[in-house]
Coordinates of all heavy atoms in Angstrom, one line a residue:
E200 N -0.3 19.5 16.4 CA -1.6 20.3 16.2 C -2.6 20.1 17.6 O -2.8 19.0 17.8 CB -2.4 19.8 15.1 CG -3.7 20.8 14.7 CD -4.5 20.3 13.4 OE1 -3.6 19.7 12.5 OE2 -5.6 20.4 13.4
R372 N -13.2 19.4 -0.9 CA -13.7 18.9 0.3 C -13.0 17.6 0.7 O -12.5 17.4 1.8 CB -15.3 19.0 0.4 CG -15.8 18.4 1.7 CD -15.3 19.2 3.0 NE -15.4 18.1 4.1 CZ -14.5 18.3 5.2 NH1 -13.7 19.4 5.3 NH2 -14.7 17.4 6.1
T375 N -9.7 17.8 2.4 CA -9.6 18.2 3.8 C -10.3 17.1 4.8 O -9.8 17.0 5.7 CB -10.6 19.5 4.0 OG1 -10.3 20.3 2.9 CG2 -10.2 20.3 5.2
H376 N -11.3 16.5 4.1 CA -11.8 15.4 4.8 C -10.8 14.2 5.0 O -10.5 13.8 6.2 CB -12.9 14.7 4.0 CG -13.7 13.5 4.4 ND1 -15.0 13.5 4.8 CD2 -13.2 12.2 4.4 CE1 -15.2 12.3 5.1 NE2 -14.2 11.5 4.8
K378 N -7.6 14.8 5.0 CA -6.5 15.4 5.9 C -6.9 15.0 7.3 O -6.1 14.8 8.2 CB -6.5 17.0 5.7 CG -5.2 17.7 6.3 CD -5.4 18.1 7.8 CE -4.3 18.8 8.3 NZ -4.5 19.2 9.7
G379 N -8.1 15.2 7.6 CA -8.6 15.0 9.0 C -8.4 13.5 9.5 O -8.0 13.3 10.6
N382 N -4.7 13.1 10.2 CA -4.3 13.8 11.6 C -4.0 12.6 12.5 O -3.1 12.6 13.2 CB -5.4 14.6 12.0 CG -5.3 16.1 11.5 OD1 -4.2 16.5 11.0 ND2 -6.4 16.9 11.8
A479 N -14.0 15.0 13.6 CA -14.0 16.3 12.8 C -15.5 16.4 12.2 O -15.9 17.5 12.2 CB -13.0 16.1 11.6
L480 N -15.9 15.4 11.6 CA -17.2 15.6 10.9 C -18.4 15.9 12.1 O -19.2 16.7 11.6 CB -17.7 14.3 10.1 CG -16.8 14.0 9.0 CD1 -17.4 12.8 8.2 CD2 -16.5 15.2 8.1
L483 N -17.9 19.6 12.8 CA -18.3 20.5 11.6 C -19.7 20.4 11.3 O -20.2 21.5 11.0 CB -17.4 19.9 10.3 CG -16.0 20.1 10.3 CD1 -15.3 19.4 9.2 CD2 -15.6 21.5 10.3
I488 N -15.5 23.6 14.4 CA -14.4 23.2 15.0 C -13.7 24.2 15.9 O -12.9 23.9 16.8 CB -13.4 22.5 14.2 CG1 -12.7 23.4 13.2 CG2 -13.8 21.2 13.6 CD1 -11.5 23.0 12.7
Ligands
MEV741 C1 -8.1 20.0 10.8 O1 -6.8 19.7 11.1 C2 -8.8 18.8 10.1 C3 -10.3 19.1 9.7 O2 -10.3 20.3 8.8 C4 -10.8 17.8 9.0 C5 -12.0 18.1 8.4 O3 -12.4 19.3 7.8 O4 -12.8 17.1 8.1 C6 -11.1 19.6 10.8

Side-chain angles (χ1 to χ4, degrees):
E200 188 176 334
R372 173 58 208 155
T375 324
H376 179 106
K378 192 270 182 184
N382 274 345
L480 297 191
L483 289 167
I488 60 157

